[in-house]
Amino acid sequence: MLRLAINRLLLPAAMAALLMLSLAYWWLDNGPHEAFGTAMLGLLTWHIYTNRRWFLTLRIGQYDARRWAVVIIHTWLAINITVLFVTSVLISRSVSFIQFTDHVSVIEVHWFSAYWVVLIIAVHLGSHWPRVMVTFATVLRLSPSRVRTNWLRLFSALLLAYGAWSFAVLGVSTKLTFGYSLYFWDFTASVTPFFAHWTAVIAGVAVLSYYSMAALRSAGKPRSRSNNGGT
């Protein structure tokens, strides 16, 4: 059970924390930024290794809309992680012994891919949320509860609303479209709200992803026939 909790709860939580710390570049400076980013990529490698059997199942079974969506999400995530890793190596000034380039375009691509990684990881989290909740309930030995489910749904709605607001506050849409913005978070004024907003963005996107996947799953189920033979 401990191994299950580590692989499905603690490991993803640690990766998310390291990713958000990496986003706080103007607060931590370059050295910690690269250290946290390297640690995150290391944990990601471990995460991929522990879930390597998923890749072996890609040719097995039929594909419905939800399964295609999951494959597309993972493919887009893999592309952005690769871009993030390559650009990290190229512009590294602390972890690497050699800085291959400091060209502004490479740095911009690095940040662009990093923001996309954040959003796709949130989508990935939402698509696997039922598994996370089952693991959480197993570890804490929780029995099914309709009251708790209703409270969680209400909390999810609040997270979605807060996430939408934080999305606008952080200007995430501009960051995802390679747009230029003169706005940067002022860490001299506040630090905690920065992480709160990014947490809300990740949570909000995860909630949206979860319900979208649930809708695709429902749409993919065969409809039962009525008594008169209709569908």
Side-chain angles (χ1 to χ4, degrees):
M1 184 176 295
L2 178 60
R3 184 176 181 180
L4 183 68
I6 291 175
N7 289 336
R8 292 190 178 180
L9 297 178
L10 298 181
L11 178 60
M15 286 192 294
L18 289 170
L19 186 58
M20 283 194 291
L21 285 171
S22 299
L23 291 176
Y25 181 89
W26 303 111
W27 179 50
L28 298 171
D29 207 358
N30 187 74
H33 168 78
E34 292 192 17
F36 288 133
T38 302
M40 190 274 293
L41 290 173
L43 291 182
L44 178 63
T45 302
W46 181 19
H47 178 68
I48 293 173
Y49 175 77
T50 57
N51 293 277
R52 62 191 181 280
R53 291 184 179 179
W54 179 83
F55 298 95
L56 302 177
T57 64
L58 290 176
R59 295 185 178 182
I60 302 175
Q62 297 181 345
Y63 276 75
D64 55 9
R66 182 188 180 280
R67 193 175 184 188
W68 275 115
V70 170
V71 171
I72 292 172
I73 291 169
H74 284 79
T75 302
W76 187 230
L77 179 59
I79 292 172
N80 278 275
I81 286 290
T82 302
V83 173
L84 186 65
F85 173 74
V86 172
T87 54
S88 297
V89 173
L90 292 176
I91 65 176
S92 175
R93 292 188 285 115
S94 299
V95 175
S96 177
F97 294 103
I98 302 175
Q99 183 180 15
F100 293 94
T101 182
D102 60 352
H103 199 281
V104 65
S105 61
V106 180
I107 297 175
E108 289 176 350
V109 170
H110 178 74
W111 280 105
F112 176 73
S113 60
Y115 290 124
W116 268 107
V117 165
V118 173
L119 268 293
I120 303 171
I121 285 179
V123 174
H124 173 76
L125 174 63
S127 66
H128 290 81
W129 192 247
R131 182 184 301 177
V132 174
M133 293 305 295
V134 168
T135 304
F136 191 76
T138 301
V139 172
L140 296 182
R141 298 179 180 179
L142 299 175
S143 58
S145 170
R146 184 178 297 273
V147 174
R148 184 169 60 248
T149 299
N150 291 333
W151 275 109
L152 287 174
R153 287 174 178 171
L154 176 61
F155 185 60
S156 297
L158 294 175
L159 281 177
L160 186 60
Y162 186 28
W165 177 55
S166 296
F167 196 92
V169 170
L170 294 170
V172 179
S173 59
T174 302
K175 295 176 172 63
L176 295 177
T177 55
F178 233 132
Y180 288 92
S181 175
L182 297 177
Y183 175 77
F184 294 93
W185 189 270
D186 184 7
F187 285 103
T188 60
S190 61
V191 175
T192 303
F194 174 84
F195 295 105
H197 281 306
W198 272 113
T199 301
V201 168
I202 293 173
V205 173
V207 169
L208 187 61
S209 171
Y210 167 73
Y211 283 106
S212 298
M213 289 297 176
L216 289 177
R217 187 185 297 109
S218 299
K221 291 181 179 179
R223 297 180 180 178
S224 59
R225 294 180 178 273
S226 60
N227 293 332
N228 60 5
T231 55

